[in-house]
Amino acid sequence: MNVKTVKKREVSFVSGSIPKALLAFSGPFILGVLVQNLYGAVDLFVVGHFATTADVSAVTIGSQLMTIVTQLIIGFATGITMLVGQSCGAQDKKGIAKTVGSSVMLFGVVAAALTAGYLAFHKQMVSAMQTPSEAVLETEQYLFICALGIVFIIGYNVISSILTGMGDSKTPFIFVLVACLINVVLDVLFVNGLGWGARGAAIATTVAQAGSFIFSLLFLRRKGLGFPLSKTDFRFDKAQIGSIVRIGGPVALQNVLVNASFLFITAIINMMGVVASAAVGVVEKLITFLFVPATAMGTSVGAASAQNIGANQMDRARKSMWWGVVIALVPAVIFTIICQFYGAGLTGILSGDEQVVALAANYLRSYILDILLVSFVFCMNGYFNSYGKSWFSLVHSVVTTFAVRVPMAFLLSRMEGATLFDIGWAAPASTAVSLVMCLIFLSRMKPLSAPQTTDLPLPKKHSGPQHFVVTISREYGSGGRQIGESVAEKLGIAFYNRNLIDLTAKRSGLAEDYITNWEERISSQSIWGSPGGGRGTGSPWFGKYYSNTDIMFNTQSQIIRELAEKEACVIVGRCADYILRDYSNCVNVFIHADLEHRAERITTEYGASAKKAAETAENTDKGRANYYRYYTGGQWGSRAQYHLMIDSARFGIEESAEIIADSIRKLFPDK
């Protein structure tokens, strides 16, 4: 994704028809999710038509237990995506190599531990799930065989996370497509042709995962990664591994907790017999397809509202959320009606057993009402995430799942004469509580102001605060920070540079390390952030179009405006000249110096070699220029952007600071 493309996409969100933009945006997303869901549904489809009810139950229970592994790895792998993305933004190929090497070592150990754990305790896991006695053997076989493929699941996700962090989401999609095709062919061969039932489905799945992983290795060997990777990179780097765990840990926790709740509910229903167990598995697979429009619209709303917040169009951001709800409700209402009257036709797609189909259709009639409520909740989550409030999505999801859905499903299952139709009400009841929490949170959200991030007309000038503000943009190594600090001291005013990181971290919830590595940096090809939470976290199809970097920029912009309103100050970098472009008392300064002089300063201050110092200076400035162009549409370092440009190599640090301070005294003699 290049900068030009991103800008064009932003303009489509901040102007023109909101519903049209949302619909166009959600199309590719839906395609990707459908293919991923198809991969998971193939086993159940084939087994449901060519094997026994016990086999269907085995696939349902076994696949849910394996989903815990997948979601755990997807969560932690977001740490890889973020670190690789940071290094790409800084054009630090060595940093990418360190992350990749540490990731391989870390996840190699994780793969060994999880494989050993599942192989050793697969029977206990099956027993803990209250698996119907008729399906115990099949479930144990299915889980044991699938556990042999854990190393391939982890390998695929590590590679996908690396590629996603480098700005490539298409290649991982190809890998998933390859796995899906292999799985389809082998499922038909092993289950229908050889009659191996759930065991055959497990073998097909494991072989498909292995094939996809091997294909990905061969693909990368031919295409290359675009950076050098040596044996010395493959080591347990404590800092890198610590960052991966710190970033990916919360996402992994949410994924595991939410999926654990489904395991609890499955265990509750398994006590009702093998037919009920199979019926629930059929419905859960159908739901993954039926909920795709609502999920896609939630992500689209996140993209639209994030960009409108960046464009300082808060009303339009909220309108995007409500338009998303309206659009998501259209298929939701249609699906609800179909499930009420033609549920057996839908469930019959995944099972040929009449009893299973009948029970599944009954369960679906109450469960499907959840789709009407998630149409609201998913879009609200996207809106909250765009404001940097992704933590709330995690909170209400976990709270309502474990405080409402699981207990309610358990209590309903214990009622005399309880049916799956009764238990199905637990899902919409839980989401209804989430919706109430979201509405309350929405009503109490403080207004957020943010700068414009597209090429829309500039706002009219106003007098702004009575005090003045000095913004300093600087070439790397030119001494801009020291000059700004000296200016603030000479004028007796506040100085903001590194302390903005702490302020941004506290308000946005983003880690300080993330802000340090990402602010004022962006690659020439793309900008990537970590999926910080919400439904579908870890998938390249979720969170791809709006990032934590956008949240960081919007938050910093709000803070900078507040500081400008509050006091006279000097602000270094962070597009402050653009953010405060409508303030008449703002003076914009650009500090520059020749490359030789800057390389010498970098070598003296940081101990880098002269060659490395010059390369670092050029790469850093390129990242700053791209960042500035991405968020402002302007040209960083252009004289049209600044009131004063100073060559620090000629005047030196102190004299440059005195020139700026003296200019301010003359411009604002009474302030």
Side-chain angles (χ1 to χ4, degrees):
M1 185 187 301
N2 56 41
V3 174
K4 183 177 180 181
T5 303
V6 172
K7 282 187 183 179
K8 186 174 182 180
R9 184 174 285 144
E10 285 184 352
V11 170
S12 69
F13 277 125
V14 299
S15 62
S17 169
I18 294 176
K20 183 178 179 181
L22 290 172
L23 287 169
F25 186 85
S26 61
F29 173 88
I30 291 175
L31 177 62
V33 175
L34 286 176
V35 171
Q36 291 182 355
N37 288 344
L38 179 63
Y39 177 84
V42 166
D43 283 355
L44 193 60
F45 174 83
V46 176
V47 171
H49 284 276
F50 303 112
T52 67
T53 302
D55 288 312
V56 175
S57 180
V59 171
T60 298
I61 298 168
S63 61
Q64 286 185 328
L65 287 168
M66 288 303 301
T67 297
I68 292 290
V69 174
T70 303
Q71 292 301 318
L72 178 71
I73 297 306
I74 285 175
F76 276 117
T78 58
I80 302 175
T81 300
M82 168 117 75
L83 294 178
V84 170
Q86 291 172 0
S87 297
C88 281
Q91 298 187 2
D92 179 8
K93 294 184 178 180
K94 185 60 180 176
I96 301 175
K98 285 176 61 179
T99 299
V100 171
S102 297
S103 300
V104 170
M105 300 301 292
L106 170 63
F107 284 89
V109 173
V110 172
L114 287 174
T115 301
Y118 266 69
L119 292 178
F121 299 104
H122 71 286
K123 292 185 178 181
Q124 289 83 347
M125 293 179 185
V126 172
S127 176
M129 288 295 294
Q130 302 295 321
T131 303
S133 57
E134 305 96 313
V136 168
L137 179 60
E138 289 82 358
T139 308
E140 288 177 351
Q141 291 176 339
Y142 183 89
L143 187 59
F144 184 88
I145 296 170
C146 286
L148 297 174
I150 287 176
V151 63
F152 305 124
I153 295 173
I154 293 177
Y156 161 76
N157 278 286
V158 169
I159 292 174
S160 295
S161 297
I162 293 169
L163 293 173
T164 301
M166 295 175 66
D168 180 5
S169 65
K170 293 181 179 179
T171 302
F173 172 72
I174 294 174
F175 299 158
V176 171
L177 190 59
V178 169
C180 187
L181 293 174
I182 295 175
N183 198 33
V184 170
V185 173
L186 295 184
D187 264 334
V188 174
L189 174 62
F190 294 155
V191 179
N192 182 33
L194 300 178
W196 289 353
R199 177 165 52 96
I203 295 173
T205 295
T206 302
V207 173
Q209 290 164 345
S212 178
F213 178 58
I214 294 171
F215 175 79
S216 66
L217 291 177
L218 294 175
F219 184 92
L220 293 179
R221 182 178 180 182
R222 180 178 178 182
K223 297 291 184 178
L225 284 169
F227 60 88
L229 192 63
S230 64
K231 292 181 179 180
T232 58
D233 293 314
F234 292 93
R235 61 189 182 88
F236 290 96
D237 188 306
K238 291 183 179 180
Q240 293 292 112
I241 291 175
S243 295
I244 292 171
V245 173
R246 185 174 60 255
I247 295 167
V251 180
L253 176 62
Q254 180 185 0
N255 289 354
V256 170
L257 287 176
V258 171
N259 279 277
S261 72
F262 289 108
L263 289 181
F264 291 146
I265 294 172
T266 300
I268 291 169
I269 295 175
N270 284 346
M271 292 187 287
M272 300 176 68
V274 67
V275 176
S277 173
V280 169
V282 168
V283 171
E284 290 293 350
K285 286 300 180 185
L286 280 174
I287 288 296
T288 61
F289 287 95
L290 298 178
F291 276 37
V292 167
T295 306
M297 198 48 58
T299 300
S300 300
V301 166
S305 57
Q307 293 174 8
N308 278 291
I309 288 169
N312 204 18
Q313 300 186 113
M314 306 306 156
D315 289 340
R316 187 178 173 90
R318 185 163 291 208
K319 286 180 181 178
S320 297
M321 178 191 70
W322 291 118
W323 266 115
V325 170
V326 171
I327 296 171
L329 279 173
V330 174
V333 170
I334 294 173
F335 292 157
T336 300
I337 294 173
I338 291 174
C339 290
Q340 296 303 316
F341 297 100
Y342 305 102
L346 285 177
T347 56
I349 296 174
L350 294 178
S351 177
D353 187 299
E354 292 183 3
Q355 281 186 295
V356 172
V357 169
L359 277 183
N362 201 33
Y363 184 47
L364 187 61
R365 283 176 54 225
S366 55
Y367 193 146
I368 194 61
L369 297 176
D370 192 38
I371 198 173
L372 301 173
L373 298 171
V374 299
S375 297
F376 287 86
V377 173
F378 287 1
C379 291
M380 287 181 173
N381 281 345
Y383 181 68
F384 296 149
N385 291 346
S386 68
Y387 267 77
K389 307 291 184 181
S390 57
W391 60 268
F392 180 72
S393 300
L394 168 63
V395 169
H396 78 72
S397 175
V398 172
V399 168
T400 57
T401 296
F402 288 96
V404 180
R405 184 171 187 178
V406 173
M408 186 174 176
F410 177 77
L411 292 174
L412 289 171
S413 71
R414 292 295 181 178
M415 293 174 59
E416 187 176 351
T419 65
L420 289 184
F421 176 78
D422 300 320
I423 298 174
W425 286 103
S430 174
T431 307
V433 176
S434 276
L435 178 56
V436 172
M437 292 176 67
C438 288
L439 289 171
I440 293 173
F441 188 76
L442 182 67
S443 68
R444 295 182 178 181
M445 282 181 64
K446 294 180 179 179
L448 176 69
S449 61
Q452 197 172 336
T453 60
T454 62
D455 296 329
L456 295 177
L458 293 176
K460 293 181 180 179
K461 289 272 186 178
H462 62 73
S463 60
Q466 295 304 305
H467 42 256
F468 59 84
V469 178
V470 180
T471 72
I472 294 184
S473 301
R474 72 285 182 220
E475 290 184 333
Y476 188 71
S478 65
R481 175 181 59 80
Q482 293 92 332
I483 292 172
E485 196 167 9
S486 180
V487 169
E489 184 178 347
K490 292 176 185 295
L491 296 175
I493 59 177
F495 175 70
Y496 291 99
N497 180 36
R498 296 284 302 178
N499 42 358
L500 281 172
I501 294 175
D502 181 58
L503 294 173
T504 304
K506 289 179 179 177
R507 183 171 299 187
S508 68
L510 298 173
E512 289 189 21
D513 287 348
Y514 176 85
I515 298 170
T516 299
N517 284 304
W518 265 111
E519 62 173 3
E520 298 189 280
R521 295 181 183 180
I522 190 170
S523 71
S524 59
Q525 295 298 318
S526 59
I527 182 168
W528 293 92
S530 170
R535 191 173 180 92
T537 296
S539 167
W541 302 100
F542 288 80
K544 164 182 165 184
Y545 297 103
Y546 66 99
S547 67
N548 281 345
T549 313
D550 299 325
I551 294 170
M552 178 189 69
F553 177 79
N554 291 333
T555 304
Q556 281 191 342
S557 300
Q558 181 187 19
I559 292 171
I560 287 170
R561 284 179 177 269
E562 290 173 358
L563 294 174
E565 294 285 354
K566 183 179 70 172
E567 61 184 338
C569 57
V570 174
I571 302 175
V572 175
R574 299 161 181 87
C575 304
D577 60 301
Y578 179 81
I579 294 167
L580 301 176
R581 65 198 180 283
D582 52 336
Y583 285 72
S584 59
N585 289 343
C586 184
V587 177
N588 303 320
V589 180
F590 188 83
I591 308 297
H592 61 95
D594 61 82
L595 183 59
E596 182 179 353
H597 176 83
R598 291 189 288 132
E600 185 178 339
R601 286 194 81 255
I602 295 170
T603 301
T604 302
E605 289 195 17
Y606 304 111
S609 65
K611 181 179 180 181
K612 181 65 176 178
E615 182 181 339
T616 300
E618 290 181 326
N619 288 339
T620 302
D621 286 347
K622 186 181 295 183
R624 288 175 176 174
N626 288 334
Y627 184 91
Y628 192 90
R629 182 169 61 250
Y630 181 86
Y631 282 112
T632 75
Q635 184 177 348
W636 181 78
S638 170
R639 63 182 183 181
Q641 311 284 124
Y642 310 99
H643 302 109
L644 183 63
M645 303 185 78
I646 297 178
D647 185 348
S648 60
R650 176 174 290 272
F651 294 102
I653 300 298
E654 283 306 310
E655 183 60 28
S656 296
E658 186 57 45
I659 291 172
I660 298 170
D662 188 53
S663 299
I664 297 299
R665 295 187 191 104
K666 291 177 180 178
L667 283 172
F668 306 102
D670 299 327
K671 300 177 182 180

